[in-house]
Amino acid sequence: MNTAPASGTTSAGHGPRYSALAIAFHWTIAVLVLGLIASGWWMTGAIRDPQRQAVAYDVYQLHKAFGLCVLLLTLARLGWRLGHRPPPLPAHMRPIERFGAHAAHVALYALTLAVPLLGWAMVSASPLGLPTVPFGLFEWPHLPVLGPQDDPASVEAGFKLGHEVLAYSAAALVVLHVAAALKHHFVDHDGLLGRMLPFGGGAASS
Ligand code: HEM
């Protein structure tokens, strides 16, 4: 994947914008990830409460369906990204800031793949064997994660821990990512946030 700036740098926010497709990928995945973190946090508590259990079961199915959407959208986004460079970073950014920005973006890509994959592996290992039926349409297959000697409950517990730790790490990284975008907007005034907003000015890039 090419994460380097396309060429040179841009100075004050009047440079190229992200393309419409890049913006659509970014905001669709962002909204889904925030909803998945909130729903994951809520449903794991609600499932133990008899009053809220029935709703929690439906939320589990929606969580799994939208989580799989994130996996598929991220694969599509990465495939597309291989052939499309983002607009260059603002000229004033120091090398350490450029490194931090690229590292955070690579980590966000990795987490939006790893978290849904771990969720899928977790439900595939579960001794309950509950089906995943995205939006009630069809039965999503399980991953072959269990060997003949494996104890399903321990394998499920391992994937569950990974899913939980990486999901909350993604949440922390999203907070940092938003803080950096707001710093560019309110402190640096360099137009970096505007070029990822759906209705900003400037020329379209990839
Ligand atoms: C980017 C995608 C995803 C995010 C950000 C996400 C986030 C979360 C979070 C924050 C929790 C709560 C963890 C806890 O507090 O214990 C959770 C739980 C859960 N997630 Fe996901 N998830 C994603 C995708 C998926 C997928 C694709 C599946 C399955 C196909 C899945 C299945 C589950 C299940 C079954 C639980 C409940 C685990 C339990 O009962 O303890 N998730 N998720």
Side-chain angles (χ1 to χ4, degrees):
M1 181 189 8
N2 178 12
T3 53
S7 61
T9 50
T10 176
S11 53
H14 304 296
R17 291 167 43 70
Y18 282 91
S19 67
L21 187 57
I23 293 173
F25 272 133
H26 178 273
W27 290 107
T28 308
I29 292 172
V31 167
L32 289 175
V33 166
L34 290 179
L36 285 159
I37 290 166
S39 62
W41 174 79
W42 181 84
M43 72 194 196
T44 45
I47 200 75
R48 290 186 208 100
D49 172 4
Q51 305 270 304
R52 296 182 292 164
Q53 210 165 50
V55 182
Y57 275 119
D58 291 341
V59 175
Y60 263 72
Q61 279 298 339
L62 284 173
H63 180 93
K64 294 194 282 182
F66 282 114
L68 291 166
C69 289
V70 168
L71 177 63
L72 297 178
L73 280 170
T74 303
L75 288 172
R77 184 185 191 184
L78 280 170
W80 179 85
R81 172 70 176 76
L82 286 173
H84 298 81
R85 291 179 168 201
L89 290 170
H92 68 82
M93 284 177 72
R94 289 175 291 149
I96 184 76
E97 291 174 320
R98 292 171 180 281
F99 173 79
H102 288 311
H105 298 160
V106 170
L108 282 167
Y109 279 127
L111 287 168
T112 43
L113 284 179
V115 174
L117 276 174
L118 285 164
W120 185 7
M122 171 196 359
V123 298
S124 303
S126 170
L128 295 178
L130 295 173
T132 297
V133 188
F135 310 110
L137 293 176
F138 61 96
E139 191 167 328
W140 186 268
H142 285 320
L143 287 170
V145 289
L146 287 174
Q149 309 297 326
D150 287 335
D151 167 32
S154 347
V155 176
E156 182 199 26
F159 287 129
K160 193 182 282 193
L161 182 66
H163 186 67
E164 182 181 359
V165 169
L166 290 194
Y168 291 121
S169 305
L173 199 54
V174 167
V175 170
L176 262 179
H177 180 72
V178 172
L182 293 177
K183 188 231 175 212
H184 280 281
H185 190 69
F186 290 110
V187 179
D188 301 332
H189 305 287
D190 59 11
L192 185 123
L193 175 59
R195 65 195 204 161
M196 186 51 105
L197 293 178
F199 308 108
S205 171
S206 46

